[in-house]
Amino acid sequence: MVAITRNSKVVVLTGAGISAESGIRTFRASDGLWENHAIEDVATPQAWERNPQVVWEFYQGRRRQLREVEPNTAHLALVELEQYLGENFLLITQNVDNLHGRAGSKNLIHMHGELALLRCETCLSVFEMMDDVHLESDYVACQECDNPRLRPHIVWFHEMPFQMPEIYAAVEDCDVFITIGTSGHVYPAAGLIDVAKSCGAHCVGINLDAPVNLQQHDEFHQGKAGELLPNFVTNIIKK
Ligand code: NAD
Ligand code: ZN
């Protein structure tokens, strides 16, 4: 098992699996459907253009669910790792839930956006709107311009993830790269391990099922993140 010191640069990439034990369903768990919706119907710019009502209702459901879930032991273990490493730690998540932030992670990039945020496509303002009134609204208007309909601040398929230059810089520079709860299907996130590996990082995976990019991992721990991660963090810090 990998050992780290306070000087080790560690980048962690998480996916839907880390939030599964909090009660948020993963994407692949249900045959390519996300909460019974085909991805192209709810998670593409074309879907938003053609049928904003369906897309909005889908994301309002995901947003409202955040009031009912709590961070789990895996989210908390990553906070402990960050407390040990300080500036040498970066957490990149593909998740759009807010559980890493609520657990206490600070150096955190939401590469696929955040359910808690809404964005105006006209003036590009971003708003955090998680109060009960906005979570029940049919549409939410922009407070900065006359656009009547904000969109979810989510990276949909065919859109570019956020903060890629910062992500590549950190991944190229890290000593240890850890993937947790991600199936390795969604690019460019799934390709970050290739970058880490080609730059000499030791790559670790923690996942319930073998990810499609399993062979890129130097070390793989199969199981539930909430069960494995607390001990894993304690062990790599102690060694
Ligand atoms: P995915 O659904 O494709 O894969 C999830 C992986 O997690 C699977 O390989 C599965 O074996 C594993 N897993 C399930 N339960 C686990 C557990 N308890 N511990 C460890 N691993 C577990 O997810 P992905 O790779 O993140 O890609 C899906 C896309 O859908 C992402 O881009 C993400 O933005 C989005 N999504 C997000 C959420 C969320 O924010 N919580 C939920 C569903 C989908
Ligand atoms: Zn606006």
Side-chain angles (χ1 to χ4, degrees), residues 120 123 142 144-145 147:
C120 175
C123 73
C142 183
E144 299 290 335
C145 74
N147 178 2

Side-chain angles (χ1 to χ4, degrees), residues 97-108:
D97 66 52
N98 55 9
L99 295 179
H100 282 307
R102 282 167 53 194
S105 289
K106 299 275 181 259
N107 205 5
L108 167 64

Side-chain angles (χ1 to χ4, degrees), residues 13-30 33-35 39 43 58-59 62 65-66 72 74-75 93-99 110-113 115 154-155 157 179-187 189-190 206-212 220-228:
L13 172 71
T14 63
I18 198 168
S19 296
E21 288 157 89
S22 294
I24 301 180
R25 287 170 68 188
T26 62
F27 169 38
R28 310 277 157 191
S30 42
L33 296 180
W34 190 359
E35 297 283 348
I39 284 303
F58 172 75
Y59 282 100
R62 309 277 67 71
Q65 186 188 25
L66 297 183
N72 65 53
H75 298 103
T93 189
Q94 298 168 83
N95 294 344
V96 293
D97 66 52
N98 55 9
L99 295 179
H110 274 275
M111 67 182 292
H112 291 164
L115 287 167
I154 299 286
V155 176
F157 286 89
T179 68
I180 305 167
T182 179
S183 61
H185 281 100
V186 179
Y187 279 80
I206 297 174
N207 213 54
L208 189 55
D209 307 296
V212 288
F220 181 66
H221 304 269
Q222 188 155 13
K224 292 187 173 181
E227 292 172 6
L228 297 184

